[in-house]
Amino acid sequence: MVHPNVAETLPHWVTDLSNIVVVKLEDHVALKDFVVRRENVSNALVWLKQNNPHYANIHIDNEKVNALPINGNVHEHLKMTIYEDLAQNVQNAIDDECDIFNSPDNDSDLSNLEDTDDLVFTSVPDANNSSVSKSFKNELVWPTIGSVPLNEFSSPGYFSMAFPHLFPYGTCDFSMPRDKKVSFQDYIHHLMFYKDQRFCKDERFRYFIMNTEMRWESLNIGNVYVKKN
């Protein structure tokens, strides 16, 4: 049975990548554009299909492959918001706030504020609420999630499917059966000190694995508390 949240066809349409949100700073020297090379994507998928058991049944959609640029930027197709001169805008906002509170007309109890009935205090706004969304000049669509969560404890190839560039052959995944039980802490330690350093140098994996360890440890502590009480 194929899990509904695991892709059966690759690559995705660029416009369907809802889990990628690009915040682009104009004239920002550190900006890395989202460059895609069609031939590299195609070769990587063919190689994974032939060598990685978790990608063996993947269907490579040539129409989607051909829709990718030969060697170009696709950020204009991604969900994106552009901030012009962000640093200056932030500084201006701070200066404005300081001017207000340093004004001699300002009372410490803020009793001079008018139209307080128009102030609305909310938690995180519901972007799907039409009445709320209309109040935003630039609405950024948040990433979507499926209704059926992927079981990160028992799903075969959970790590290797998410990071095929680190587990190219789909082996050594934590969920794989072993003759000797390995703790998750020992597993992480081995990866972080692996000889070629590809795990510790990866910009996403090291934070992913740290987040996973913290969440799993919290669950274990909670289970122990429940059992004792």
Side-chain angles (χ1 to χ4, degrees), residues 153-167:
F153 300 100
S154 60
S155 297
Y158 174 68
F159 292 161
S160 56
M161 284 192 292
F163 298 92
H165 61 295
L166 300 179
F167 302 87

Side-chain angles (χ1 to χ4, degrees), residues 181-221:
K181 185 177 180 180
V182 177
S183 69
F184 191 53
Q185 287 72 21
D186 289 340
Y187 177 77
I188 295 175
H189 185 272
H190 176 74
L191 295 183
M192 291 296 103
F193 288 91
Y194 193 66
K195 57 184 179 181
D196 64 7
Q197 298 184 327
R198 66 175 183 263
F199 296 97
C200 65
K201 289 184 176 180
D202 189 85
E203 295 180 351
R204 294 175 178 83
F205 182 78
R206 58 177 180 258
Y207 294 109
F208 163 81
I209 206 71
M210 180 180 68
N211 175 270
T212 301
E213 181 185 21
M214 293 174 64
R215 289 187 294 103
W216 288 15
E217 182 64 24
S218 297
L219 288 174
N220 288 333
I221 294 175

Side-chain angles (χ1 to χ4, degrees), residues 125-133 139 141-142:
D126 181 5
N128 295 320
N129 187 312
S130 58
S131 61
V132 174
S133 62
E139 180 179 337
V141 180
W142 288 99

